[in-house]
Amino acid sequence: MLLWGQVLSSLTGMLDLALVTRLNTKVGIPDYVFAVIDCGVSVMVGKLQWMPVLVLCSKLCPPGIEGTFYALLMSIQNVGLLMSAWWGGLLLHTLNVTRSEFTNLWAVVLIRNVSRLLPLMLLFLVPQSDQNSTLLPAEMLHDDESTEAVKDGSGSVEFSVLVADGSGCHPSVEDVQDERIKVTDDVGGDVELIPLMNTNRTVG
């Protein structure tokens, strides 16, 4: 799909070449109709190109960093769009294509369409697998050791909670005493009260 998606992208770019050279008028298709057809086909091919990329990224993403991985993918796409705009502007300037001069515009469109085939040289980097294959190592597909220890009950996790006796939403005039930390062992269920402070003060 990556191969044929890129080839289709190059071929659909030839529709722009037909529009620039006015071939559409020679076959009786008005410019606005041909422009709508060109835009619709280009968008459809673009979606077909994105589908295998997103499936591949979902297979390469380790558990727990899906948001970061997707942000990285969008960043790479934005950098690619920015670089394509810069190279396109440089190509237009080199071939002397301006807002009033379109003599060499057909050559610019042709170079753009041919350049879309250049990423095929990097296609060997894509793993030879299908959408049901597992690409990540087995150890990356499981939770870390600490999480597994808690699930098995072999680890010891303690939670510290500040507890103040006699406190409530509305303070009273009673003395608040014996503030302490309640430490709960999540595995054994033992509860230990450790004195934090023992001061007499009047709340009010």
Coordinates of all heavy atoms in Angstrom, one line a residue, residues 80-160:
G80 N 7.7 18.2 7.1 CA 7.6 17.8 5.6 C 6.9 18.8 4.8 O 7.3 19.2 3.7
L81 N 5.7 19.3 5.3 CA 4.9 20.3 4.6 C 5.7 21.6 4.5 O 5.7 22.3 3.4 CB 3.6 20.5 5.3 CG 2.6 19.3 5.2 CD1 1.4 19.6 6.1 CD2 2.2 19.0 3.8
L82 N 6.4 22.0 5.5 CA 7.1 23.2 5.5 C 8.3 23.1 4.5 O 8.6 24.1 3.7 CB 7.7 23.5 6.9 CG 8.3 24.9 7.1 CD1 7.4 26.0 6.8 CD2 8.8 25.0 8.6
M83 N 9.0 22.0 4.6 CA 10.1 21.8 3.6 C 9.7 21.8 2.2 O 10.3 22.3 1.3 CB 10.9 20.6 4.0 CG 11.6 20.6 5.3 SD 12.9 21.8 5.3 CE 14.0 21.2 4.1
S84 N 8.5 21.1 1.9 CA 8.0 21.1 0.6 C 7.6 22.5 0.1 O 7.8 22.8 -1.1 CB 6.8 20.2 0.5 OG 5.7 20.7 1.3
A85 N 7.1 23.3 0.9 CA 6.8 24.7 0.5 C 8.0 25.5 0.2 O 8.1 26.2 -0.8 CB 6.0 25.4 1.6
W86 N 9.1 25.3 1.0 CA 10.4 26.0 0.7 C 11.0 25.5 -0.6 O 11.4 26.3 -1.4 CB 11.3 25.7 1.9 CG 11.0 26.5 3.1 CD1 10.0 27.4 3.3 CD2 11.6 26.3 4.4 NE1 10.0 27.9 4.5 CE2 10.9 27.2 5.3 CE3 12.6 25.5 4.9 CZ2 11.2 27.3 6.6 CZ3 12.9 25.6 6.3 CH2 12.2 26.5 7.1
W87 N 11.1 24.2 -0.8 CA 11.6 23.7 -2.0 C 10.8 24.1 -3.2 O 11.3 24.3 -4.3 CB 11.8 22.2 -2.0 CG 13.0 21.7 -1.1 CD1 12.9 21.1 0.1 CD2 14.3 21.9 -1.4 NE1 14.1 20.9 0.6 CE2 15.1 21.4 -0.3 CE3 15.1 22.5 -2.4 CZ2 16.5 21.4 -0.3 CZ3 16.4 22.5 -2.4 CH2 17.1 21.9 -1.3
G88 N 9.5 24.1 -3.1 CA 8.6 24.5 -4.2 C 8.8 26.0 -4.6 O 8.9 26.3 -5.7
G89 N 8.9 26.8 -3.5 CA 9.2 28.2 -3.8 C 10.6 28.4 -4.5 O 10.7 29.3 -5.4
L90 N 11.6 27.7 -4.1 CA 12.9 27.8 -4.7 C 12.9 27.3 -6.1 O 13.5 27.9 -7.0 CB 13.9 26.9 -3.9 CG 15.4 26.9 -4.4 CD1 15.9 28.3 -4.4 CD2 16.2 26.0 -3.5
L91 N 12.1 26.2 -6.4 CA 12.0 25.7 -7.8 C 11.3 26.7 -8.7 O 11.7 26.9 -9.8 CB 11.2 24.4 -7.8 CG 11.1 23.7 -9.1 CD1 12.5 23.3 -9.7 CD2 10.3 22.4 -8.9
L92 N 10.2 27.3 -8.1 CA 9.5 28.4 -8.9 C 10.4 29.5 -9.2 O 10.4 30.1 -10.3 CB 8.3 28.8 -8.2 CG 7.1 27.8 -8.0 CD1 6.0 28.4 -7.1 CD2 6.5 27.5 -9.4
H93 N 11.2 29.9 -8.3 CA 12.1 31.1 -8.5 C 13.2 30.7 -9.5 O 13.6 31.5 -10.3 CB 12.8 31.5 -7.1 CG 13.7 32.6 -7.3 ND1 13.3 33.9 -7.5 CD2 15.1 32.6 -7.2 CE1 14.4 34.7 -7.5 NE2 15.5 33.9 -7.4
T94 N 13.7 29.4 -9.4 CA 14.7 29.0 -10.3 C 14.3 29.0 -11.8 O 15.0 29.4 -12.7 CB 15.3 27.6 -9.9 OG1 15.7 27.7 -8.6 CG2 16.4 27.2 -10.9
L95 N 13.0 28.5 -12.0 CA 12.5 28.4 -13.3 C 11.7 29.7 -13.7 O 11.0 29.7 -14.8 CB 11.5 27.2 -13.5 CG 12.2 25.9 -13.3 CD1 11.2 24.7 -13.4 CD2 13.4 25.7 -14.3
N96 N 11.8 30.7 -12.9 CA 11.3 32.1 -13.3 C 9.7 32.0 -13.5 O 9.2 32.5 -14.5 CB 12.0 32.6 -14.5 CG 11.7 34.1 -14.7 OD1 11.4 34.8 -13.7 ND2 11.8 34.6 -15.9
V97 N 9.1 31.3 -12.5 CA 7.6 31.3 -12.6 C 7.1 32.3 -11.5 O 7.4 32.2 -10.4 CB 7.1 29.9 -12.3 CG1 5.6 29.9 -12.2 CG2 7.6 28.9 -13.3
T98 N 6.3 33.3 -12.0 CA 5.8 34.3 -11.1 C 4.3 34.3 -11.2 O 3.7 33.5 -12.0 CB 6.4 35.7 -11.5 OG1 6.0 36.0 -12.8 CG2 7.9 35.7 -11.4
R99 N 3.6 35.3 -10.6 CA 2.2 35.4 -10.6 C 1.7 35.8 -12.0 O 0.5 35.8 -12.3 CB 1.7 36.4 -9.6 CG 2.2 37.8 -9.7 CD 1.6 38.7 -8.6 NE 2.2 38.2 -7.3 CZ 1.8 38.8 -6.2 NH1 0.9 39.7 -6.1 NH2 2.3 38.4 -5.0
S100 N 2.5 36.3 -12.8 CA 2.1 36.8 -14.2 C 2.9 36.0 -15.3 O 2.6 36.2 -16.5 CB 2.4 38.3 -14.3 OG 3.8 38.6 -14.1
E101 N 3.8 35.1 -14.9 CA 4.6 34.4 -15.9 C 4.4 32.9 -15.6 O 4.9 32.4 -14.6 CB 6.0 34.8 -15.8 CG 6.9 34.0 -16.8 CD 6.6 34.2 -18.3 OE1 6.2 35.4 -18.6 OE2 6.6 33.3 -19.0
F102 N 3.8 32.1 -16.6 CA 3.5 30.7 -16.3 C 4.1 29.9 -17.4 O 3.7 28.7 -17.6 CB 2.0 30.5 -16.3 CG 1.3 31.3 -15.2 CD1 0.5 32.4 -15.6 CD2 1.4 31.0 -13.9 CE1 -0.1 33.1 -14.6 CE2 0.8 31.7 -12.9 CZ 0.0 32.8 -13.3
T103 N 5.1 30.4 -18.1 CA 5.6 29.6 -19.3 C 6.3 28.3 -18.8 O 6.0 27.3 -19.5 CB 6.7 30.5 -20.0 OG1 6.1 31.7 -20.4 CG2 7.2 29.7 -21.2
N104 N 7.0 28.3 -17.7 CA 7.7 27.1 -17.3 C 6.9 26.4 -16.1 O 7.5 25.5 -15.5 CB 9.1 27.5 -16.8 CG 10.0 28.0 -17.9 OD1 9.8 27.6 -19.0 ND2 10.8 28.9 -17.5
L105 N 5.7 26.7 -16.0 CA 4.9 26.1 -14.9 C 4.7 24.6 -15.1 O 4.7 23.8 -14.2 CB 3.5 26.8 -14.7 CG 2.6 26.3 -13.6 CD1 3.4 26.5 -12.3 CD2 1.3 27.1 -13.6
W106 N 4.6 24.2 -16.4 CA 4.4 22.8 -16.7 C 5.6 22.0 -16.2 O 5.5 20.9 -15.8 CB 4.2 22.6 -18.2 CG 5.4 22.9 -19.0 CD1 5.7 24.2 -19.6 CD2 6.4 22.0 -19.4 NE1 6.9 24.1 -20.2 CE2 7.3 22.8 -20.2 CE3 6.7 20.7 -19.2 CZ2 8.5 22.3 -20.7 CZ3 7.8 20.1 -19.8 CH2 8.7 20.9 -20.5
A107 N 6.8 22.6 -16.4 CA 8.0 21.9 -16.0 C 8.1 21.8 -14.4 O 8.5 20.7 -13.9 CB 9.3 22.7 -16.5
V108 N 7.6 22.8 -13.7 CA 7.6 22.7 -12.3 C 6.6 21.6 -11.8 O 7.0 20.8 -10.9 CB 7.1 24.1 -11.7 CG1 6.9 23.9 -10.2 CG2 8.1 25.1 -12.0
V109 N 5.5 21.5 -12.4 CA 4.5 20.4 -12.1 C 5.1 19.1 -12.4 O 4.9 18.1 -11.6 CB 3.2 20.7 -12.8 CG1 2.2 19.5 -12.5 CG2 2.6 22.0 -12.4
L110 N 5.8 18.9 -13.5 CA 6.3 17.7 -13.9 C 7.4 17.2 -12.9 O 7.5 16.1 -12.5 CB 6.9 17.8 -15.3 CG 7.4 16.5 -15.9 CD1 6.4 15.4 -16.0 CD2 8.0 16.7 -17.3
I111 N 8.3 18.2 -12.5 CA 9.4 17.9 -11.6 C 8.8 17.5 -10.2 O 9.2 16.5 -9.6 CB 10.3 19.1 -11.4 CG1 11.1 19.3 -12.7 CG2 11.3 18.9 -10.3 CD1 11.9 20.6 -12.7
R112 N 7.7 18.1 -9.8 CA 7.0 17.8 -8.6 C 6.5 16.4 -8.6 O 6.6 15.6 -7.6 CB 5.9 18.8 -8.3 CG 5.2 18.5 -7.0 CD 3.8 19.1 -7.0 NE 2.9 18.4 -7.9 CZ 1.6 18.7 -8.1 NH1 1.1 19.7 -7.4 NH2 0.9 18.1 -9.0
N113 N 5.9 16.0 -9.7 CA 5.3 14.6 -9.8 C 6.4 13.6 -9.8 O 6.2 12.5 -9.2 CB 4.4 14.6 -11.1 CG 3.2 15.5 -11.0 OD1 2.8 15.9 -9.9 ND2 2.7 15.9 -12.2
V114 N 7.5 13.8 -10.5 CA 8.5 12.9 -10.5 C 9.2 12.7 -9.2 O 9.6 11.6 -8.7 CB 9.6 13.2 -11.6 CG1 10.8 12.3 -11.6 CG2 8.9 13.2 -13.0
S115 N 9.3 13.9 -8.5 CA 10.0 13.8 -7.1 C 9.2 13.1 -6.1 O 9.7 12.6 -5.1 CB 10.2 15.3 -6.7 OG 9.0 15.9 -6.4
R116 N 7.9 12.9 -6.4 CA 7.1 12.1 -5.5 C 7.4 10.6 -5.5 O 7.0 9.9 -4.5 CB 5.6 12.2 -5.8 CG 5.0 13.6 -5.5 CD 3.5 13.7 -5.8 NE 3.0 15.0 -5.4 CZ 1.7 15.3 -5.6 NH1 0.9 14.5 -6.3 NH2 1.3 16.5 -5.2
L117 N 8.2 10.2 -6.5 CA 8.6 8.8 -6.5 C 9.9 8.6 -5.7 O 10.4 7.4 -5.5 CB 8.8 8.4 -8.0 CG 7.6 8.4 -8.8 CD1 7.9 8.0 -10.3 CD2 6.5 7.5 -8.3
L118 N 10.6 9.6 -5.3 CA 11.9 9.5 -4.6 C 11.8 8.8 -3.3 O 12.7 8.0 -2.9 CB 12.5 10.9 -4.4 CG 12.9 11.6 -5.7 CD1 13.5 13.0 -5.3 CD2 13.9 10.8 -6.5
P119 N 10.7 9.0 -2.5 CA 10.6 8.2 -1.2 C 10.5 6.7 -1.4 O 10.7 6.0 -0.4 CB 9.3 8.7 -0.6 CG 9.1 10.1 -1.2 CD 9.6 10.0 -2.6
L120 N 10.3 6.2 -2.6 CA 10.3 4.8 -2.8 C 11.6 4.1 -2.6 O 11.7 2.9 -2.4 CB 9.8 4.4 -4.3 CG 8.3 4.9 -4.6 CD1 8.0 4.5 -6.0 CD2 7.4 4.2 -3.6
M121 N 12.7 4.9 -2.7 CA 14.0 4.4 -2.5 C 14.2 4.0 -1.0 O 15.2 3.3 -0.7 CB 15.1 5.4 -2.9 CG 15.1 5.7 -4.4 SD 16.5 6.8 -4.9 CE 16.1 8.3 -3.9
L122 N 13.4 4.6 -0.1 CA 13.5 4.3 1.3 C 12.5 3.2 1.8 O 12.4 3.0 3.0 CB 13.3 5.6 2.2 CG 14.3 6.7 1.9 CD1 13.9 7.9 2.7 CD2 15.7 6.3 2.2
L123 N 11.8 2.6 0.8 CA 10.8 1.7 1.2 C 11.3 0.4 1.8 O 10.6 -0.3 2.5 CB 10.0 1.3 -0.1 CG 8.6 0.8 0.1 CD1 7.7 1.8 0.9 CD2 7.9 0.4 -1.2
F124 N 12.6 0.1 1.6 CA 13.2 -1.1 2.1 C 13.3 -1.0 3.7 O 13.5 -2.0 4.3 CB 14.6 -1.3 1.5 CG 15.6 -0.3 1.9 CD1 16.5 -0.5 3.0 CD2 15.8 0.9 1.3 CE1 17.4 0.4 3.4 CE2 16.7 1.9 1.6 CZ 17.5 1.6 2.7
L125 N 13.2 0.2 4.2 CA 13.2 0.4 5.7 C 12.0 -0.1 6.4 O 12.0 -0.3 7.6 CB 13.5 1.8 6.0 CG 14.9 2.4 5.5 CD1 14.9 3.9 5.8 CD2 16.0 1.7 6.2
V126 N 10.9 -0.2 5.6 CA 9.6 -0.6 6.2 C 9.7 -2.1 6.5 O 10.1 -2.9 5.6 CB 8.5 -0.3 5.3 CG1 7.1 -0.8 5.8 CG2 8.4 1.2 4.9
P127 N 9.3 -2.6 7.7 CA 9.3 -4.0 8.0 C 8.4 -4.8 7.1 O 7.3 -4.4 6.7 CB 8.7 -4.1 9.5 CG 9.0 -2.7 10.0 CD 8.8 -1.8 8.8
Q128 N 8.9 -6.0 6.7 CA 8.1 -6.9 5.8 C 7.1 -7.6 6.7 O 7.4 -8.7 7.2 CB 9.0 -7.8 5.1 CG 10.0 -7.2 4.2 CD 9.3 -6.5 3.0 OE1 8.3 -7.0 2.5 NE2 9.9 -5.5 2.4
S129 N 5.9 -7.1 6.9 CA 4.9 -7.7 7.7 C 3.5 -7.2 7.2 O 3.4 -6.4 6.3 CB 5.1 -7.4 9.2 OG 5.1 -6.0 9.4
D130 N 2.5 -7.7 7.9 CA 1.1 -7.2 7.6 C 0.6 -6.5 8.9 O 1.2 -6.4 9.9 CB 0.2 -8.4 7.2 CG 0.2 -9.5 8.2 OD1 0.6 -9.3 9.4 OD2 -0.2 -10.6 7.8
Q131 N -0.7 -6.1 8.8 CA -1.3 -5.4 9.9 C -1.6 -6.2 11.1 O -1.8 -5.7 12.2 CB -2.6 -4.7 9.4 CG -3.7 -5.8 9.1 CD -3.7 -6.3 7.7 OE1 -2.7 -6.1 7.0 NE2 -4.8 -6.9 7.3
N132 N -1.5 -7.5 11.0 CA -1.7 -8.4 12.2 C -0.4 -8.9 12.8 O -0.4 -9.6 13.8 CB -2.5 -9.7 11.7 CG -3.8 -9.3 11.2 OD1 -4.5 -8.5 11.7 ND2 -4.3 -10.0 10.1
S133 N 0.7 -8.4 12.3 CA 2.0 -8.8 12.9 C 2.4 -8.0 14.1 O 1.9 -6.8 14.2 CB 3.1 -8.7 11.8 OG 2.8 -9.5 10.7
T134 N 3.2 -8.6 15.0 CA 3.7 -7.9 16.1 C 5.2 -7.4 15.8 O 6.0 -8.3 15.6 CB 3.7 -8.8 17.4 OG1 2.3 -9.2 17.6 CG2 4.2 -8.0 18.6
L135 N 5.4 -6.1 15.8 CA 6.7 -5.6 15.5 C 7.6 -5.3 16.7 O 8.8 -5.3 16.6 CB 6.5 -4.3 14.6 CG 5.7 -4.5 13.3 CD1 5.6 -3.2 12.6 CD2 6.3 -5.5 12.4
L136 N 7.0 -5.0 17.8 CA 7.8 -4.7 19.0 C 8.2 -5.9 19.7 O 7.6 -7.0 19.6 CB 6.9 -3.8 20.0 CG 6.5 -2.4 19.5 CD1 5.6 -1.8 20.5 CD2 7.7 -1.6 19.3
P137 N 9.4 -5.8 20.4 CA 9.9 -7.0 21.2 C 8.9 -7.3 22.3 O 8.1 -6.5 22.7 CB 11.2 -6.5 21.8 CG 11.6 -5.3 20.9 CD 10.4 -4.7 20.4
A138 N 8.9 -8.6 22.7 CA 7.9 -9.1 23.7 C 8.0 -8.3 25.0 O 7.0 -8.1 25.6 CB 8.1 -10.6 23.9
E139 N 9.2 -8.0 25.4 CA 9.4 -7.3 26.7 C 8.8 -5.9 26.7 O 8.4 -5.4 27.8 CB 10.8 -7.2 27.1 CG 11.7 -6.5 26.2 CD 12.3 -7.4 25.1 OE1 11.8 -8.6 25.1 OE2 13.2 -7.0 24.4
M140 N 8.6 -5.3 25.5 CA 8.0 -3.9 25.5 C 6.5 -4.0 25.4 O 5.9 -2.9 25.6 CB 8.5 -3.2 24.2 CG 10.0 -2.9 24.2 SD 10.5 -1.9 22.8 CE 9.7 -0.4 23.2
L141 N 5.9 -5.1 25.2 CA 4.5 -5.3 25.2 C 3.9 -5.5 26.5 O 2.6 -5.5 26.7 CB 4.1 -6.4 24.2 CG 4.5 -6.2 22.8 CD1 4.1 -7.5 22.0 CD2 3.9 -5.0 22.2
H142 N 4.7 -5.7 27.6 CA 4.2 -6.0 28.9 C 4.5 -4.8 29.8 O 5.3 -3.9 29.5 CB 4.8 -7.2 29.5 CG 4.6 -8.5 28.7 ND1 3.4 -9.1 28.6 CD2 5.4 -9.2 27.9 CE1 3.4 -10.1 27.8 NE2 4.7 -10.2 27.4
D143 N 3.8 -4.8 31.0 CA 4.0 -3.7 31.9 C 5.4 -3.9 32.6 O 6.0 -4.9 32.5 CB 2.9 -3.7 33.0 CG 1.6 -3.4 32.4 OD1 1.5 -2.7 31.4 OD2 0.6 -3.9 33.0
D144 N 5.9 -2.8 33.2 CA 7.2 -2.9 33.8 C 7.1 -3.8 35.1 O 6.1 -4.2 35.5 CB 7.7 -1.5 34.2 CG 6.7 -0.7 35.0 OD1 6.0 -1.3 35.9 OD2 6.5 0.5 34.8
E145 N 8.3 -4.0 35.6 CA 8.4 -5.0 36.7 C 7.6 -4.5 38.0 O 7.0 -5.3 38.7 CB 9.8 -5.3 37.1 CG 10.6 -5.9 35.9 CD 12.1 -6.2 36.2 OE1 12.4 -5.7 37.4 OE2 12.8 -6.7 35.4
S146 N 7.7 -3.2 38.3 CA 7.0 -2.7 39.5 C 5.5 -2.9 39.4 O 4.9 -3.3 40.4 CB 7.4 -1.3 39.7 OG 7.0 -0.5 38.6
T147 N 5.0 -2.6 38.2 CA 3.5 -2.8 38.0 C 3.1 -4.3 38.2 O 2.1 -4.6 38.8 CB 3.1 -2.3 36.7 OG1 3.5 -0.9 36.5 CG2 1.6 -2.3 36.5
E148 N 3.9 -5.1 37.6 CA 3.7 -6.6 37.7 C 3.8 -7.0 39.2 O 3.0 -7.9 39.6 CB 4.6 -7.4 36.9 CG 4.4 -7.2 35.4 CD 3.1 -7.7 34.9 OE1 2.5 -8.7 35.6 OE2 2.5 -7.2 33.9
A149 N 4.7 -6.5 39.9 CA 4.9 -6.9 41.3 C 3.6 -6.5 42.2 O 3.2 -7.2 43.0 CB 6.1 -6.2 41.9
V150 N 3.1 -5.3 41.9 CA 1.9 -4.9 42.6 C 0.7 -5.7 42.3 O -0.1 -6.1 43.1 CB 1.6 -3.4 42.3 CG1 0.3 -3.0 42.9 CG2 2.8 -2.5 42.8
K151 N 0.6 -6.1 41.0 CA -0.5 -6.9 40.6 C -0.4 -8.3 41.2 O -1.4 -8.9 41.6 CB -0.5 -7.1 39.0 CG -0.9 -5.8 38.3 CD -1.0 -6.0 36.8 CE -1.4 -4.7 36.1 NZ -1.4 -4.9 34.6
D152 N 0.8 -8.9 41.3 CA 1.0 -10.2 41.9 C 0.9 -10.2 43.4 O 0.8 -11.3 44.0 CB 2.3 -10.8 41.5 CG 2.4 -11.0 40.0 OD1 1.3 -11.0 39.4 OD2 3.5 -11.0 39.4
G153 N 1.0 -9.0 44.0 CA 1.0 -8.9 45.5 C 2.3 -9.2 46.1 O 2.5 -9.2 47.3
S154 N 3.4 -9.2 45.3 CA 4.7 -9.5 45.8 C 5.4 -8.2 46.2 O 6.4 -8.2 46.9 CB 5.6 -10.2 44.8 OG 5.7 -9.4 43.6
G155 N 4.9 -7.1 45.8 CA 5.5 -5.8 46.1 C 4.9 -5.1 47.3 O 3.8 -5.5 47.7
S156 N 5.5 -4.2 47.9 CA 4.9 -3.5 49.1 C 4.8 -2.0 48.7 O 5.8 -1.3 48.4 CB 5.9 -3.7 50.3 OG 5.4 -3.0 51.4
V157 N 3.6 -1.6 48.7 CA 3.3 -0.2 48.4 C 2.7 0.5 49.6 O 1.7 -0.1 50.2 CB 2.4 0.0 47.2 CG1 2.1 1.4 46.9 CG2 3.0 -0.7 46.0
E158 N 3.2 1.6 50.0 CA 2.7 2.3 51.2 C 2.1 3.6 50.8 O 2.6 4.3 49.9 CB 3.8 2.5 52.3 CG 4.3 1.2 52.8 CD 5.4 1.5 53.9 OE1 5.7 2.7 54.1 OE2 5.8 0.5 54.6
F159 N 1.0 4.0 51.5 CA 0.3 5.2 51.2 C 0.3 6.0 52.5 O -0.1 5.5 53.6 CB -1.1 5.1 50.7 CG -1.2 4.3 49.4 CD1 -1.4 2.9 49.5 CD2 -1.1 4.9 48.2 CE1 -1.4 2.2 48.3 CE2 -1.2 4.2 47.1 CZ -1.4 2.8 47.1
S160 N 0.7 7.3 52.5 CA 0.8 8.1 53.7 C -0.4 9.1 53.6 O -0.4 9.9 52.6 CB 2.1 8.8 53.8 OG 3.2 7.9 53.9

